[in-house]
């Protein structure tokens, strides 16, 4: 987005380290990324194929996929608090607003991608200037090497992983994951102790 908007409307240089980047492109990329991110997120989250984990390699967009969606994809309704509604009622009444946490996560990711991630590119530009290099490679004609195209993605990828792990991911224990942990992380003696304790627990419930 930064490249497209900058090419069309860019006039004011943004930073000396990267002379082709402009203020207009930077600001335009922010707004366009937020708009497109919100729109695509709202569209894709309506389809189970996009929000359900793949259970096998044969899953495709036409598969009848069913799952318990992550709470981030569950729609909620925001109703304006009565005190606020009473203040603005003479002017207009705000109807209930449907929203999903995933849309908020999308806004956070879009803002980070537009405002912070480009500094990975600025750092790479400064690194190249320090060694008197134009590009890191020449595997992509006119664009340098693969690293030149991925300089912002390193920062964005790290942020996306940490954000997803901290705010979106739901830790669900399954029989398979528990068995994998037992087999790979516990000694034989510890496995026998788990078996003994589980047997004692189930006997107490009257299940065995």
């Amino acid at each position: 987005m930064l490249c497209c908007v900058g090419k069309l409307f860019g006039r004011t240089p943004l930073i000396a380290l990267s002379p082709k980047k402009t203020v207009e492109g930077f600001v335009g990329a922010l707004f366009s990324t937020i708009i497109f991110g919100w729109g695509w997120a709202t569209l894709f989250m309506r389809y189970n194929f996009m929000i359900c984990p793949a259970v096998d390699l044969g899953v495709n967009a036409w598969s009848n996929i069913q799952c318990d969606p992550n709470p981030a994809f569950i729609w909620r309704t925001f109703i304006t608090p009565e005190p606020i509604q009473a203040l603005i009622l003479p002017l207009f009444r705000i109807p209930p607003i449907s929203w999903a946490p995933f849309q908020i996560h999308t806004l956070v990711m879009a803002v980070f991608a537009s405002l912070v991630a480009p500094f990975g590119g600025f750092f790479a530009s400064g690194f190249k200037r320090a060694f008197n290099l134009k590009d890191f490679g020449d595997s992509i004609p006119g664009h340098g090497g693969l690293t030149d195209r991925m300089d912002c993605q390193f920062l964005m990828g790290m942020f996306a992983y940490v954000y997803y792990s901290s705010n979106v991911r739901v830790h669900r224990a399954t029989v398979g994951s528990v068995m994998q942990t037992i087999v790979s992380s516990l000694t034989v003696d510890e496995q026998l102790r788990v078996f003994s304790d589980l047997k004692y627990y189930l006997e107490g419930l009257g299940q065995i």
Side-chain angles (χ1 to χ4, degrees), residues 165-185:
S165 300
S166 304
N167 302 291
V168 182
R169 183 180 179 183
V170 175
H171 299 275
R172 291 194 179 107
T174 63
V175 174
S177 63
V178 172
M179 286 299 298
Q180 182 178 4
T181 301
I182 292 174
V183 172
S184 61
S185 303

Side-chain angles (χ1 to χ4, degrees), residues 142-155:
H143 292 275
L146 184 62
T147 307
D148 294 285
R149 297 298 90 200
M150 298 294 291
D151 46 14
C152 298
Q153 305 307 319
F154 295 120
L155 190 60

